[in-house]
Coordinates of all heavy atoms in Angstrom, one line a residue:
S319 N -20.5 -21.7 28.0 CA -21.3 -21.5 29.1 C -21.3 -20.1 29.5 O -22.3 -19.6 30.2 CB -20.9 -22.4 30.3 OG -19.6 -22.0 30.7
I320 N -20.3 -19.4 29.1 CA -20.2 -17.9 29.4 C -21.3 -17.1 28.9 O -21.7 -16.1 29.3 CB -18.8 -17.4 29.0 CG1 -18.6 -16.0 29.6 CG2 -18.7 -17.3 27.5 CD1 -18.4 -16.0 31.0
L321 N -22.0 -17.6 27.8 CA -22.9 -16.9 27.0 C -24.3 -17.1 27.7 O -25.2 -16.3 27.4 CB -23.0 -17.4 25.6 CG -21.7 -17.2 24.8 CD1 -21.9 -17.7 23.4 CD2 -21.4 -15.7 24.7
V322 N -24.4 -18.1 28.5 CA -25.7 -18.5 29.1 C -26.2 -17.3 29.9 O -25.6 -16.9 30.9 CB -25.6 -19.8 30.0 CG1 -27.1 -20.0 30.5 CG2 -25.2 -20.9 29.0
G323 N -27.4 -16.7 29.5 CA -28.0 -15.7 30.4 C -27.4 -14.3 30.2 O -28.0 -13.5 30.9
L324 N -26.5 -14.2 29.4 CA -25.8 -12.8 29.3 C -26.8 -11.8 28.8 O -26.8 -10.6 29.3 CB -24.6 -12.8 28.4 CG -23.2 -13.3 29.1 CD1 -22.1 -13.1 28.1 CD2 -23.0 -12.4 30.3
E325 N -27.5 -12.1 27.8 CA -28.5 -11.1 27.2 C -29.6 -10.7 28.2 O -30.1 -9.7 28.0 CB -29.2 -11.8 26.0 CG -28.1 -12.1 24.8 CD -28.8 -12.6 23.6 OE1 -30.0 -12.9 23.7 OE2 -28.1 -12.8 22.5
E326 N -29.9 -11.6 29.2 CA -31.0 -11.2 30.1 C -30.4 -10.3 31.3 O -31.2 -9.8 32.0 CB -31.7 -12.4 30.6 CG -32.2 -13.3 29.5 CD -32.7 -14.6 30.0 OE1 -32.6 -14.9 31.2 OE2 -33.2 -15.5 29.2
M327 N -29.2 -10.2 31.4 CA -28.6 -9.5 32.6 C -28.5 -8.0 32.2 O -28.7 -7.6 31.1 CB -27.1 -10.0 32.8 CG -27.0 -11.5 33.2 SD -25.3 -11.9 33.6 CE -25.5 -13.6 34.0
D328 N -28.2 -7.3 33.2 CA -28.0 -5.9 33.2 C -26.8 -5.7 32.2 O -25.8 -6.3 32.4 CB -27.7 -5.2 34.5 CG -27.4 -3.7 34.4 OD1 -26.2 -3.3 34.2 OD2 -28.4 -2.9 34.4
S332 N -23.3 -7.8 32.4 CA -22.9 -8.8 31.4 C -21.6 -8.3 30.8 O -20.7 -9.2 30.4 CB -24.0 -8.8 30.3 OG -24.2 -7.6 29.6
I335 N -18.8 -9.5 33.1 CA -18.5 -10.9 33.0 C -17.8 -11.2 31.8 O -16.8 -12.1 31.8 CB -19.9 -11.6 33.2 CG1 -20.6 -11.4 34.5 CG2 -19.7 -13.2 32.8 CD1 -21.9 -12.0 34.6

Side-chain angles (χ1 to χ4, degrees):
S319 65
I320 190 67
L321 302 176
V322 177
L324 274 185
E325 294 183 357
E326 301 171 0
M327 295 181 184
D328 179 272
S332 64
I335 293 175

